Amino acid sequence: MSEADFAIGIDLGTTHCALSYVDLNAETDGEGGIQGVLQVPQLTAPGTVGELPLLPSFIYLPHETELAAGDLTLPWVEQPGYALGDFARSRGALTPIRMVSSAKSWLSHSGVDRRAGILPHDAPEEVNRISPLQASTRYLEHLKESWNNQFPDKPMDRQDVTITIPASFDPAARELTAEAAELAGFQRANLLEEPQAALYSWIQGSQGEWRKQANPGDIILVVDVGGGTTDLSLIAIIDREGNLEPHRVAVGDHILLGGDNMDLALAHVVGAKLAGQGTQLDPWQLRALTHGCRAAKEVLLGDADQESIPLVVPSRGSRLIGGSIRTELTRDEVRNTILEGFFPQVDAAARPISRPRAGLTQLGLPYAQDAAVTRHLAAFLGRQAQATEELPGFEGRAQGASFLHPTAVLFNGGIFKSSLLSERVMKNLNLWLEAEQAPPARLLSGADLDLAVARGSAYYGKVRLGGGVRIRGGTAQSFYVGIETSMPAVPGLEPPVMALCVAPFGMEEGTEADLPPQEFGLVVGEPVRFRFFESSVRRKDEVGVMLESWLPEELQELGEIEVTLPAEGRSLGEVVPVGLHAAVTETGTLRLEASPVTGEERWKVELDVRQP
Amino acid sequence: MDNQTPSFITRIVLALSVFFRILFDPRFALGVLGLKEGKGPAAVASESTDSKADTSAPPPPPRLKEAGPDAALQLLGLLQQEGRFIDFIEEDVVSYADADIGAAARVVHEGCRKAMREHLTIAEVRSDAEGSRVTLAKGFDATAIRLTGNVVGEPPFTGVVTHKGWRATEVRLPKLSVNHDVTILAPAEVEL
């Protein structure tokens, strides 16, 4: 790794990707450093290649007659067979059945086979669908080719690459991201959680000033609201022999809720207003309106004096003046929809409302049912009330607290450019804190809301090579394998399941867990499946602990895991006693292996199993 | 129409089309500059005949470079794509109320501005406020600064900035595939 010239950070986002880089040879101190953001060549129209700092995470699979020869040509490939980026998004908006979007959310959806061609989700038969894994691979490939195109002497596979993932990604989604990087031809890429990347970017951007803004004993809440996901993390600052050490203590659930939902909600509000006046919008017009609402929202949330913004839904035909629809978005509409809909003032005891799902739900993405970010935040802090108890310097802090008390907040994501939204979150939080006689939390200033994740991950690459403050903490979950207990069969009753801890909380990269004493009998040549669980609150469970019962919110069930013992040197059907061994790789993925009690062999346990 | 002043609507359309002609046609720009200095149509016309006579007079014909149409068409296509520019200019505005035209102008303004900022960096030629007095030293750039009015004597000249001027400092037009047909400014759309 030492021959790398650049540390490259890739923000592989739900709606956009970005690539930032740090020159490792540049003479800089630990927390400064010159950074660049790659201008990514991409199709902006048929046969037209423009360079933009963001690569929209969309793929368009055109009909064979739809485009002329050469319309998809990129500087590095003549006939890619698909469009990716800006043009894919704009064309796909007109023909959604051929557009792949939100591949990242699908990649983390354990209810589907993520290696199977399932995207676009609602494509007709004749479209050659691709898998969420393939889509992610293509985005990474595109970024790699863009880089190699601009830096032919410094190919990507010789640089130190970091790819960001939501902190809430489960082990299977992490592994799939690492696999996508491998398939895209990255020699090695590290994974970094997005809220951590945001904090790294803030540390770097402060040019050393962060030591004045953060103190030992601080608990920093990172609120990262992206285009499609909301990601929460808690990072404690501990004093390690006189040095400040950020320690990530907890991460939130995977919440599919983001800025795009807000723009869409506004478009529907305006659409309903127009419908009341007798004007019906078609999907194309609704999309144009969503676009207009996004820009208008930013102005109305940012400028207190602006009462309303005129919106024009352009006609689809060439008659622009005669065919366009005039309307407006008012400040009250934005406030009611965004502030009260997505950031309502709630109690610390509030929890997201979950409606019972309808009997026949379409197989789709598990979008958050409650749009209120503040309720998700209250639930997260409530669940993590005890998160810092184990840390040196934090003992006893949580006594009498019904939720974990952050002392500082770092925001990330473009929507927080509106100070109204960040103020509303701060106000919620500080009212909760006041109710429990805790001091108000501070807002950490100076964050780069749009590019922090890409920048922070490039900086992390530099930190890994020994050039700055590193966030510690390891895995934010402990992991369990479900074991069915033997009992007489009772019709209609599932046999009770016990959970065996195989990986404790806080495993650092490049470490292995102890081998649990329990043994399993695996049948040679047959795939054997286990139920798999994680917990973000059981911090003290050690390897080998067997849970007979737990509270529903303590353990979350993940997708099943599977292991197959090859028949080499054994007879099919033979039962071999094995132990389950967990490790966290240098890349940052969880690795589970089965190894026979007698012998040195190891077999990989698949975390991402095809759904039956 | 001869002596009638054009309506507000017609003026919007005129302003937009003239803007681009000024950008791409230096001779036209010269004429407009004359108008702006208050010389009136006749003076401008005679000036342009003069310059015509000048250019055709010298025995070795002056070498004029011909601007390829590709970049102009590409920019026009971008303005249509982002800001519906051609739709707006091609539409007959006479029958519409100013409010309707104003609404459409928002689309055109927002989109064309986005396209322009994305593909061109435009800076002021003079950073002095319009109306302020400036002194031009000997050897000033005559392409970037046009002298008007009482142009006599030797520099340094002192005068008033009537227009601060625009300069394209950077052009970033997207690259085109070899066979791309730039004459299609906007494809026809057929929904299946």
Side-chain angles (χ1 to χ4, degrees):
Chain A
M1 296 306 290
S2 55
E3 79 270 26
D5 291 301
F6 291 96
I8 295 175
I10 294 177
D11 176 2
L12 186 61
T14 317
T15 52
H16 285 99
C17 301
L19 187 153
S20 176
Y21 54 92
V22 179
D23 188 345
L24 293 171
N25 302 322
E27 288 289 320
T28 53
D29 59 355
E31 283 153 21
I34 302 143
Q35 274 213 324
V37 173
L38 186 72
Q39 295 289 319
V40 186
Q42 55 193 288
L43 287 174
T44 52
T48 309
V49 176
E51 295 190 347
L52 300 169
L54 293 176
L55 177 71
S57 312
F58 295 85
I59 293 175
Y60 186 75
L61 307 167
H63 188 268
E64 53 189 284
T65 62
E66 196 179 338
L67 296 167
D71 272 358
L72 296 173
T73 303
L74 290 168
W76 54 85
V77 55
E78 196 91 23
Q79 301 279 3
Y82 56 87
L84 193 156
D86 190 58
F87 171 59
R89 180 178 57 179
S90 59
R91 177 56 67 93
L94 303 174
T95 309
I97 52 167
R98 292 182 171 274
M99 174 174 70
V100 176
S101 61
S102 299
K104 185 182 180 180
S105 301
W106 287 100
L107 198 70
S108 63
H109 184 8
S110 62
V112 297
D113 182 354
R114 293 164 274 192
R115 295 163 198 278
I118 54 169
L119 301 176
H121 184 49
D122 44 6
E125 280 296 305
E126 63 166 70
V127 175
N128 274 328
R129 300 186 198 202
I130 62 172
S131 71
L133 176 66
Q134 244 173 324
S136 303
T137 305
R138 285 185 185 177
Y139 300 136
L140 291 172
E141 254 167 4
H142 189 103
L143 290 170
K144 186 189 79 175
E145 296 295 348
S146 304
W147 173 273
N148 291 349
N149 194 45
Q150 192 172 333
F151 298 96
D153 306 336
K154 317 271 182 198
M156 178 89 104
D157 54 13
R158 271 192 251 139
Q159 314 307 322
D160 184 273
V161 182
T162 303
I163 299 172
T164 61
I165 48 167
S168 50
F169 255 24
D170 70 12
R174 284 167 196 248
E175 195 175 87
L176 284 161
T177 308
E179 193 179 329
E182 220 167 278
L183 289 171
F186 291 57
Q187 287 289 330
R188 206 191 104 192
N190 305 301
L191 301 181
L192 175 68
E193 293 173 2
E194 284 155 13
Q196 288 193 42
L199 190 75
Y200 276 122
S201 170
W202 175 74
I203 288 176
Q204 185 203 21
S206 76
Q207 305 278 344
E209 286 293 303
W210 76 281
R211 288 188 180 79
K212 292 182 187 157
Q213 286 201 53
N215 308 304
D218 264 336
I219 301 171
I220 301 173
L221 167 69
V222 184
V223 181
D224 179 7
V225 179
T229 52
T230 293
D231 214 4
L232 304 167
S233 285
L234 286 164
I235 296 168
I237 306 290
I238 60 177
D239 187 349
R240 181 87 67 195
E241 292 149 8
N243 286 321
L244 296 184
E245 185 183 281
H247 205 91
R248 202 263 286 95
V249 289
V251 302
D253 287 341
H254 200 57
I255 309 168
L256 287 187
L257 173 67
D260 291 358
N261 304 54
M262 300 176 197
D263 300 330
L264 197 60
L266 282 178
H268 280 289
V269 166
V270 179
K273 189 164 68 176
L274 284 170
Q277 298 159 4
T279 310
Q280 290 293 340
L281 298 180
D282 66 20
W284 185 89
Q285 289 172 315
L286 189 67
R287 188 183 73 85
L289 183 61
T290 310
H291 213 74
C293 283
R294 176 173 310 153
K297 172 193 77 181
E298 278 161 21
V299 177
L300 287 171
L301 285 175
D303 183 353
D305 297 329
Q306 194 90 28
E307 277 301 323
S308 69
I309 295 272
L311 287 177
V312 180
V313 185
S315 65
R316 208 163 162 190
S318 68
R319 282 180 60 230
L320 182 64
I321 306 171
S324 295
I325 299 161
R326 259 188 305 157
T327 179
E328 61 171 11
L329 184 66
T330 66
R331 194 154 60 116
D332 286 347
E333 284 164 348
V334 171
R335 281 174 166 262
N336 288 337
T337 311
I338 304 296
L339 270 185
E340 305 312 324
F342 290 87
F343 297 92
Q345 191 73 52
V346 296
D347 290 339
R351 295 293 179 262
I353 301 158
S354 68
R355 293 184 304 274
R357 299 236 178 218
L360 282 171
T361 47
Q362 210 190 351
L363 182 67
L365 287 173
Y367 289 111
Q369 295 195 349
D370 191 328
V373 173
T374 42
R375 273 196 283 272
H376 289 286
L377 177 61
F380 170 61
L381 293 176
R383 192 168 56 240
Q384 295 297 345
Q386 307 294 321
T388 54
E389 279 307 276
E390 311 295 303
L391 281 184
F394 288 80
E395 300 89 350
R397 280 263 289 261
Q399 269 179 4
S402 72
F403 67 97
L404 189 102
H405 293 175
T407 59
V409 182
L410 180 70
F411 288 103
N412 189 45
I415 66 150
F416 289 115
K417 277 184 223 161
S418 157
S419 55
L420 270 185
L421 299 188
S422 50
E423 276 163 19
R424 176 54 76 90
V425 174
M426 294 303 289
K427 191 175 159 207
N428 257 293
L429 181 63
N430 285 336
L431 282 175
W432 304 340
L433 288 168
E434 199 185 307
E436 300 196 353
Q437 283 84 46
R442 315 185 302 280
L443 175 69
L444 297 183
S445 57
D448 173 351
L449 296 167
D450 277 325
L451 286 164
V453 168
R455 286 176 184 279
S457 54
Y459 174 65
Y460 170 72
K462 196 174 157 180
V463 168
R464 281 176 58 90
L465 300 172
V469 184
R470 187 160 176 184
I471 302 171
R472 299 283 168 185
T475 53
Q477 296 89 8
S478 43
F479 296 96
Y480 306 81
V481 167
I483 295 169
E484 287 184 11
T485 52
S486 16
M487 62 170 275
V490 179
L493 200 71
E494 272 187 63
V497 170
M498 295 204 291
L500 168 70
C501 179
V502 291
F505 206 92
M507 280 180 75
E508 296 263 4
E509 283 141 34
T511 62
E512 297 203 357
D514 300 331
L515 195 66
Q518 289 83 353
E519 292 169 12
F520 300 86
L522 292 190
V523 186
V524 172
E526 278 179 26
V528 181
R529 289 192 173 195
F530 297 95
R531 290 173 71 181
F532 195 45
F533 300 86
E534 68 171 19
S535 172
S536 58
V537 288
R538 296 191 63 99
R539 290 155 194 278
K540 292 180 199 163
D541 286 346
E542 284 172 18
V543 167
V545 165
M546 190 81 94
L547 307 180
E548 287 183 21
S549 63
W550 54 86
L551 298 171
E553 63 268 24
E554 278 188 313
L555 255 62
Q556 277 85 42
E557 181 153 13
L558 304 168
E560 289 189 322
I561 57 174
E562 184 182 271
V563 61
T564 309
L565 259 56
E568 294 151 17
R570 291 190 177 78
S571 49
L572 280 176
E574 190 187 334
V575 177
V576 179
V578 298
L580 283 180
H581 199 189
V584 175
T585 63
E586 284 291 342
T587 303
T589 55
L590 182 74
R591 191 180 63 210
L592 265 186
E593 285 172 328
S595 58
V597 176
T598 54
E600 292 294 300
E601 295 160 283
R602 290 193 166 185
W603 299 288
K604 188 169 181 247
V605 179
E606 294 297 334
L607 300 177
D608 170 52
V609 181
R610 276 171 194 277
Q611 298 303 306
Chain B
M1 288 292 282
D2 273 355
N3 292 319
Q4 266 174 11
T5 52
S7 73
F8 172 68
I9 301 148
T10 319
R11 295 205 305 273
I12 291 185
V13 179
L14 186 67
L16 278 166
S17 60
V18 161
F19 171 73
F20 283 92
R21 243 188 112 183
I22 291 175
L23 261 187
F24 293 111
D25 184 347
R27 291 265 309 270
F28 183 74
L30 176 69
V32 174
L33 196 77
L35 273 175
K36 194 166 176 293
E37 299 304 324
K39 287 184 194 164
V44 174
S46 78
E47 233 177 45
S48 67
T49 5
D50 286 353
S51 65
K52 221 177 259 170
D54 284 349
T55 47
S56 58
R63 288 187 303 165
L64 295 175
K65 63 174 178 186
E66 202 162 311
D70 282 17
L73 291 174
Q74 196 187 353
L75 185 60
L76 208 48
L78 287 168
L79 292 173
Q80 162 67 12
Q81 187 184 321
E82 300 282 352
R84 309 288 295 270
F85 182 68
I86 302 172
D87 290 346
F88 187 65
I89 301 299
E90 285 295 312
E91 199 164 3
D92 181 13
V93 295
V94 175
S95 55
Y96 295 113
D98 282 4
D100 291 330
I101 297 170
R106 281 187 191 281
V107 175
V108 179
H109 178 265
E110 191 185 316
C112 289
R113 172 181 247 197
K114 176 170 177 270
M116 210 167 83
R117 299 219 163 141
E118 211 168 288
H119 302 293
L120 300 167
T121 306
I122 292 181
E124 299 166 355
V125 174
R126 302 280 321 189
S127 52
D128 321 80
E130 290 179 6
S132 63
R133 290 191 78 77
V134 293
T135 303
L136 303 172
K138 196 173 163 69
F140 67 90
D141 180 355
T143 323
I145 295 166
R146 185 173 304 284
L147 300 180
T148 56
N150 188 24
V151 186
V152 287
E154 289 291 315
F157 294 127
T158 301
V160 175
V161 180
T162 47
H163 191 292
K164 58 191 171 183
W166 297 116
R167 182 203 301 273
T169 55
E170 211 188 327
V171 182
R172 296 172 297 270
L173 287 175
K175 297 188 181 76
L176 297 173
S177 71
V178 184
N179 299 320
H180 188 75
D181 182 0
V182 286
T183 60
I184 302 298
L185 302 171
E189 262 182 58
V190 180
E191 175 131 338
L192 305 184

